């Protein structure tokens, strides 16, 4: 079975620092708006940056998704266990009827 590699972040700081960094930049944009306007920074770009920050803040943490992954794995294991018993029963019945070395039993896989 292949083990999944943990995801690697494209930035080297915590998730809680990123919104703080964006807030600091937004505050500086308000303070120095005239200088940024000269460099073609618009109010729409500021609004877009604020929306991106809010979207990032609304994203659930990695632990949430790890928990969901664990729940789905448990569900998959339970479904496998429920399916294994009937399949084994069929194999035992085929073994009893045809014998282990017969072609009919081999057809069951």
């Amino acid at each position: 079975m292949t083990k999944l590699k943990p995801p690697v972040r494209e930035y080297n700081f915590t998730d809680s620092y990123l919104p703080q960094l964006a807030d600091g930049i937004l505050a500086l944009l308000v303070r120095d708006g005239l200088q940024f306007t000269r460099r073609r920074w618009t109010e729409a770009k500021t609004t877009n940056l604020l929306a991106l920050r809010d979207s990032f803040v609304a994203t659930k943490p990695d632990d949430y998704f790890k928990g969901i992954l664990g729940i789905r794995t448990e569900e998959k294991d339970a479904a496998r266990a429920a399916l294994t018993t009937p399949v084994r029963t069929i194999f035992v019945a085929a073994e009893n009827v045809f014998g282990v070395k017969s072609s009919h039993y081999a057809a069951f896989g």
Side-chain angles (χ1 to χ4, degrees), residues 73-87:
T73 301
E74 288 175 1
E75 290 172 354
K76 179 191 68 167
D77 290 345
R80 182 179 186 270
L83 181 62
T84 300
T85 303
V87 168

Side-chain angles (χ1 to χ4, degrees), residues 39-106:
R39 296 183 179 263
R40 298 184 183 163
W41 187 265
T42 62
E43 187 66 33
K45 290 181 181 179
T46 302
T47 304
N48 186 40
L49 180 61
L50 183 60
L52 289 171
R53 181 194 65 90
D54 291 344
S55 174
F56 183 81
V57 168
T59 303
K60 295 186 185 312
D62 293 344
D63 291 337
Y64 171 80
F65 294 107
K66 287 179 186 176
I68 295 296
L69 179 63
I71 291 168
R72 297 295 181 254
T73 301
E74 288 175 1
E75 290 172 354
K76 179 191 68 167
D77 290 345
R80 182 179 186 270
L83 181 62
T84 300
T85 303
V87 168
R88 284 186 182 160
T89 304
I90 292 170
F91 272 106
V92 169
E95 181 182 336
N96 291 337
V97 172
F98 301 118
V100 178
K101 296 184 179 183
S102 73
S103 301
H104 289 290
Y105 180 77

Side-chain angles (χ1 to χ4, degrees), residues 11-56:
Y11 48 90
N12 203 17
F13 44 83
T14 63
D15 287 345
S16 61
Y17 177 71
L18 187 57
Q20 292 175 351
L21 180 63
D23 286 340
I25 291 171
L26 287 165
L28 293 174
L29 286 171
V30 170
R31 185 191 74 183
D32 301 327
L34 182 60
Q35 286 80 12
F36 283 100
T37 303
R38 292 181 191 153
R39 296 183 179 263
R40 298 184 183 163
W41 187 265
T42 62
E43 187 66 33
K45 290 181 181 179
T46 302
T47 304
N48 186 40
L49 180 61
L50 183 60
L52 289 171
R53 181 194 65 90
D54 291 344
S55 174
F56 183 81

